[in-house]
């Protein structure tokens, strides 16, 4: 952690993510009411009306309110996808690495089967079938993101399963599940956690892309939906797409900066 504090890019990215997290948590206080409700005249220019600092869209909805509630949607989807993908990947990778034999072969063939299909296409197909609910979007994105953690967890477990403490646990008669999830998994977890930032950033981009294509929940404000809403006014009101697009870029870049610094820190601390 001390290494992260010495990296200016990690500090900058972390500050942006912390601000976004606080905005997402305080969205009902910062922007009470329905962000999809008409709040003023349509197409008010940014910085011309104190009541609407970032202006309004073609229907008169406040752009700042949309950004605030869109941050909440993006952060929620990104974190939930990371939790689901990392949990599934750790379980599958740990079982595959420790069990070996046909169990490992079956599980790794399953991982390869999911890796064949691009994550966005898989999410696109599943959301099209299941509908644009929050749970459906999270599950669809997570199904394309769990394979990386699974492969990394398996490689770490393969390196740990011949360790002396594992042999001692077997001699003591511990159940294989207890050895896997209480002895080995905590040691295999730190390298897998380094993938969190990549998964969160990818999930935010995928959710935005789905919303841009009209596959997001129409009752929830999303940055992708705001970009799509403004694309028909690019010549006359380009800010409608540029502002949420910049918010999306800043969030993803900040996430990657923190993720890169975290990965480097874990790599430096890992014993050779």
């Amino acid at each position: 952690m001390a290494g992260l504090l010495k990296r200016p890019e990690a500090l900058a990215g972390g500050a942006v993510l912390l601000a976004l997290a606080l905005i997402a948590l305080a969205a009902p206080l910062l922007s009470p009411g329905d962000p999809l409700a008409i709040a003023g005249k349509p197409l008010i220019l940014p910085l011309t009306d104190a009541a609407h600092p970032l202006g309004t869209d073609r229907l008169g909805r406040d752009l700042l309110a949309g950004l605030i509630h869109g941050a909440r949607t993006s952060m929620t989807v990104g974190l939930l996808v990371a939790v689901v993908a990392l949990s599934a990947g750790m379980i599958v990778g740990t079982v595959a690495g420790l069990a070996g034999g046909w169990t490992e072969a079956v599980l790794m063939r399953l991982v390869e089967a999911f890796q064949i299909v691009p994550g966005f296409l898989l999410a696109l197909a599943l959301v099209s079938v299941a509908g644009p609910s929050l749970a459906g979007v999270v599950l669809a994105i997570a199904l394309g993101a769990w394979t990386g953690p699974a492969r990394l967890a398996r490689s770490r477990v393969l390196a740990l399963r011949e360790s002396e403490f594992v042999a001692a646990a077997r001699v003591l008669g511990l159940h294989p599940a207890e050895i896997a999830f209480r002895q080995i998994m905590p040691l295999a977890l730190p390298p897998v956690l380094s993938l969190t930032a990549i998964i969160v950033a990818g999930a935010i981009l995928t959710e935005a892309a789905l919303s841009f294509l009209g596959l997001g929940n129409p009752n929830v404000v999303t940055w992708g939906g705001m970009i799509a809403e403004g694309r028909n006014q690019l010549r006359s009101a380009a800010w409608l797409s540029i502002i949420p697009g910049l918010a999306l870029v800043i969030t993803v870049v900040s996430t990657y900066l923190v993720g890169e610094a975290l990965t480097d820190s874990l790599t430096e601390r890992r014993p050779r």
Side-chain angles (χ1 to χ4, degrees), residues 192-271:
V192 178
L193 288 179
S194 65
L195 298 176
T196 301
I198 296 176
I199 294 174
V200 170
I204 291 174
L205 282 176
T206 303
E207 184 276 328
L210 292 174
S211 298
F212 181 83
L213 295 175
L215 295 176
N217 189 339
N219 299 317
V220 176
V221 179
T222 64
W223 289 341
M226 294 175 67
I227 296 172
E229 180 69 24
R231 63 183 171 179
N232 294 325
Q233 287 84 36
L234 280 178
R235 292 187 177 182
S236 59
W239 73 86
L240 296 179
S241 292
I242 292 176
I243 292 176
L246 286 175
L248 183 63
V249 170
I250 291 172
T251 302
V252 172
V253 171
S254 299
T255 306
Y256 272 118
L257 289 176
V258 174
E260 287 293 323
L262 180 60
T263 301
D264 292 343
S265 178
L266 290 173
T267 303
E268 292 172 359
R269 292 174 55 187
R270 189 180 304 168

Side-chain angles (χ1 to χ4, degrees), residues 58 129 243:
R58 65 185 181 89
V129 173
I243 292 176

Side-chain angles (χ1 to χ4, degrees), residues 24-25 69-83 134 138 200 203-204 207:
L25 290 173
H69 287 268
R72 191 175 196 180
T73 302
S74 295
M75 297 297 286
T76 300
V77 170
L79 292 176
L80 288 178
V81 168
V83 170
L134 176 62
V138 169
V200 170
I204 291 174
E207 184 276 328

Side-chain angles (χ1 to χ4, degrees), residues 4 10 12 18 20 36 45 51 63 100 107 111 115 125 138 143 193-194 197 221 236 241 244:
L4 293 179
L18 178 60
L20 285 172
L36 295 175
L45 289 171
L63 204 63
L107 290 177
V111 170
Q115 283 188 315
V138 169
L143 283 176
L193 288 179
S194 65
V221 179
S236 59
S241 292

